[in-house]
Amino acid sequence: MNKDNKVKGVIFDIDGTLIFDNQAISGTIETISILRKAGILLRFVTNTTGSTSEKLSSKLCELGFDIQSHEIITAVTACLYFIRRTYPNRSGFLAIPDSLQPQFSEIKQTQIEPDFVVLGDLDDEFDYEILNRIFNYMRHGAQLITFHRNPYFFRDSQTWLDSGAFTIALEYASGQKAIVTGKPAPEIFEKAVISMGLNKSEVIVVGDDVTSDIQGAKNASLDWYLVGTGKFKPKHLDKYHIKKEQHIKSIRNIVNICGLILESDD
């Protein structure tokens, strides 16, 4: 049961917090189940852009999680909201994978003097030609919009350069600051809180990445906990001045933080 009603909602990162290398991290499935049964509202925020919320939900369910698509908020959905609000009736250039094109079907596109450029995770499609084209669009006034600033990600037990690394390079070359719609921007977290119908004081954030998950929680004025999985390294505690009580070794610790008592089956 829930002893303390202060925590009514939890926002989880996905990669590195719930799953790693396409496998569920120990204790994560059980923790999500316990929180859900206790009535804790759950949301899942991710900078992953290669899949829709529906596909991510299906993937997580295959791994054993009970996570619905409406509970997943991606940097892509946050980007679409930003474009509709900021650039109505304007045209942009979309440097995004084909799998995301259907979600941007309502966005006007052009290859001639776009007002904005959206940079997504092109993976193997990143090459000099596309980066140079974006650079020149930026030099002529187009605003760069990117889903995140993650410099790398994990896949097949290896680390790979992420689109955030190219974002930083384009910022340096053009002298322009990109607009980030995913973590660590506060909007994606605030959207999660609003969707739960809760106050910020009733919600906590759990993630493994100090620069995106934790910084994003700070930017959104939310309480947070850094879990010792995924991208976490012990040196981060001193480097980023993480307090002892804000670092958890396992996601299982969230059950206690939420004030839950696990009743025995006896």
Side-chain angles (χ1 to χ4, degrees):
M1 64 178 187
N2 196 338
K3 298 188 304 179
D4 182 353
N5 291 324
K6 183 179 185 300
V7 178
K8 297 182 179 180
V10 182
I11 300 173
F12 287 99
D13 166 55
I14 297 178
D15 287 312
T17 300
L18 299 183
I19 63 174
F20 186 79
D21 208 6
N22 292 316
Q23 296 296 321
I25 295 173
S26 177
T28 55
I29 295 174
E30 296 81 359
T31 298
I32 296 301
S33 178
I34 291 168
L35 296 177
R36 193 178 294 284
K37 289 178 181 177
I40 302 294
L41 296 179
L42 306 175
R43 290 296 183 270
F44 307 87
V45 296
T46 177
N47 281 344
T48 299
T49 62
S51 299
T52 63
S53 296
E54 289 75 19
K55 289 183 179 179
L56 286 170
S57 171
S58 177
K59 173 185 174 181
L60 291 166
C61 287
E62 288 177 2
L63 293 176
F65 291 96
D66 176 16
I67 297 176
Q68 305 305 308
S69 61
H70 74 274
E71 297 175 311
I72 300 174
I73 300 173
T74 72
V76 175
T77 56
C79 178
L80 286 166
Y81 175 76
F82 175 80
I83 292 173
R84 293 185 183 117
R85 182 185 62 184
T86 311
Y87 293 100
N89 303 317
R90 296 202 184 175
S91 301
F93 177 78
L94 306 182
I96 59 176
D98 291 340
S99 61
L100 294 183
Q101 289 287 349
Q103 296 186 67
F104 286 81
S105 60
E106 297 180 3
I107 304 300
K108 294 182 179 180
Q109 301 183 39
T110 183
Q111 296 187 27
I112 302 173
E113 298 184 357
D115 295 299
F116 59 88
V117 175
V118 178
L119 177 62
D121 295 324
L122 293 172
D123 294 342
D124 295 338
E125 294 179 36
F126 274 119
D127 59 24
Y128 181 83
E129 191 279 329
I130 188 66
L131 291 172
N132 193 56
R133 174 182 289 193
I134 295 171
F135 165 66
N136 279 285
Y137 283 150
M138 294 170 69
R139 288 190 66 234
H140 289 88
Q143 173 63 56
L144 179 62
I145 303 171
T146 185
F147 300 133
H148 59 78
R149 295 177 65 85
N150 296 353
Y152 66 92
F153 66 98
F154 295 105
R155 185 177 66 195
D156 300 329
S157 300
Q158 299 182 51
T159 52
W160 301 76
L161 276 177
D162 213 336
S163 62
F166 300 108
T167 295
I168 294 169
L170 287 166
E171 287 180 325
Y172 177 78
S174 68
Q176 180 197 113
K177 194 73 173 176
I179 292 174
V180 180
T181 61
K183 301 177 293 183
E187 287 80 6
I188 193 169
F189 294 93
E190 291 168 351
K191 185 176 177 64
V193 173
I194 291 171
S195 72
M196 290 189 280
L198 299 175
N199 297 318
K200 288 186 178 182
S201 61
E202 300 172 313
V203 178
I204 60 174
V205 175
V206 182
D208 68 299
D209 191 329
V210 179
T211 59
S212 63
D213 304 325
I214 304 310
Q215 188 58 52
K218 290 179 179 180
N219 291 342
S221 300
L222 291 165
D223 289 337
W224 52 269
Y225 293 90
L226 176 66
V227 66
T229 54
K231 291 183 178 179
F232 170 80
K233 296 186 185 320
K235 65 181 181 181
H236 291 165
L237 298 177
D238 289 333
K239 181 178 180 179
Y240 296 104
H241 309 290
I242 306 296
K243 296 180 180 178
K244 182 178 180 180
E245 59 270 24
Q246 292 177 302
H247 170 237
I248 56 176
K249 293 183 178 180
S250 168
I251 200 172
R252 294 185 180 94
N253 297 127
I254 293 300
V255 174
N256 294 329
I257 290 170
C258 288
L260 298 176
I261 296 177
L262 302 182
E263 296 181 354
S264 171
D265 294 333
D266 296 334

